[in-house]
Amino acid sequence: MVLVRGPLKYLKEYGVQLREGRMDDSEQLIALNSSFRGEMMQWEADLGRTSPAYPVLDHEDLEYILNQEEDSVLVVLFRKEGLKDHLLGYAYAYIEPWTAVAGTKPRKGNGGRSRIQPSVANRQCKSEESDVQKSLYIAELYVTRSERGCGFGELLLWKTLKQDGIKNPSKRSHLYVSSRNVSALKIYQKFGYKR
């Protein structure tokens, strides 16, 4: 996994930074999550499907994620505007047993989503704690439309995987992405993920 431009390059070139999410980010995170959910629903509609209403995060969800949920990562991308951090994107991931996903094949007809997994070599490491393997599920990665095309998704993914290394020594991860989201697929493949 190679990051083309390091975080300092992004700070200098675009004035953006990364950090872990906080409760004082809740209003902006809820707005970003609402936009993310809206795009997901539009992808479903474009495929001629009636999609279920994707639940939008609320304050209670964020409080749980930030203060109670173990083995999760919430990273925010922001630009300083005076004394305030203006959020431009976020990534949310959590660890789950690999057995929950290892035996399943990518689903067809699921709204165009593809299961993306790391290479087989990365999936074969054993956990020292037990026979149950763990995997980081990258549940959400979102950058506002106006900030896309600058490599910010790549930066968020890099930081999420880096943060996760502390909590998930197996280094296994997986995610779902719309097969129509070509730019996201390119980022994930650059990091070694396979369809």
Side-chain angles (χ1 to χ4, degrees):
M1 161 173 69
V2 177
L3 187 66
V4 175
R5 295 175 283 192
L8 289 177
K9 174 87 173 172
Y10 284 96
L11 175 59
K12 288 179 183 177
E13 192 171 333
Y14 298 106
V16 299
Q17 301 176 55
L18 295 168
R19 64 168 166 75
E20 289 188 35
R22 305 183 302 231
M23 275 310 293
D24 63 341
D25 297 325
S26 62
E27 293 300 325
Q28 291 183 77
L29 280 167
I30 289 168
L32 288 172
N33 182 258
S34 179
S35 296
F36 173 70
R37 299 291 188 210
E39 286 186 29
M40 289 174 61
M41 289 174 61
Q42 185 60 52
W43 288 335
E44 297 278 343
D46 289 348
L47 292 170
R49 298 171 185 252
T50 306
S51 66
Y54 290 101
V56 175
L57 286 177
D58 60 23
H59 292 282
E60 188 176 313
D61 295 329
L62 285 170
E63 174 132 16
Y64 176 78
I65 290 167
L66 294 171
N67 299 322
Q68 297 175 25
E69 187 173 51
E70 294 181 23
D71 297 329
S72 68
V73 177
L74 179 61
V75 176
V76 296
L77 173 76
F78 69 97
R79 185 176 288 126
K80 279 281 191 202
E81 292 183 357
L83 298 174
K84 187 170 170 97
D85 294 348
H86 176 70
L87 301 191
L88 308 172
Y90 72 98
Y92 168 60
Y94 55 88
I95 295 174
E96 65 181 6
W98 181 246
T99 55
V101 294
T104 61
K105 295 180 181 176
R107 292 180 278 165
K108 297 195 189 280
N110 62 349
R113 291 179 298 161
S114 298
R115 175 173 298 218
I116 306 289
Q117 300 171 341
S119 66
V120 173
N122 288 341
R123 290 189 314 212
Q124 303 224 340
C125 43
K126 292 273 185 183
S127 169
E128 295 176 14
E129 297 175 4
S130 71
D131 290 344
V132 176
Q133 300 296 313
K134 295 185 178 185
S135 178
L136 180 72
Y137 173 53
I138 301 169
E140 299 177 12
L141 195 152
Y142 180 77
V143 175
T144 59
R145 285 182 190 263
S146 62
E147 300 292 341
R148 293 179 188 166
C150 299
F152 297 156
E154 179 182 339
L155 186 62
L156 277 165
L157 181 59
W158 171 80
K159 181 68 170 178
T160 300
L161 294 171
K162 183 178 173 188
Q163 289 290 105
D164 171 60
I166 299 164
K167 301 174 183 180
N168 184 15
S170 75
K171 300 290 186 201
R172 177 177 292 150
S173 60
H174 66 284
L175 53 92
Y176 292 96
V177 63
S178 170
S179 58
R180 297 177 53 172
N181 193 344
V182 176
S183 59
L185 287 167
K186 286 179 183 177
I187 291 169
Y188 298 134
Q189 290 168 348
K190 182 177 183 178
F191 276 73
Y193 288 88
K194 308 254 185 247
R195 284 181 181 242

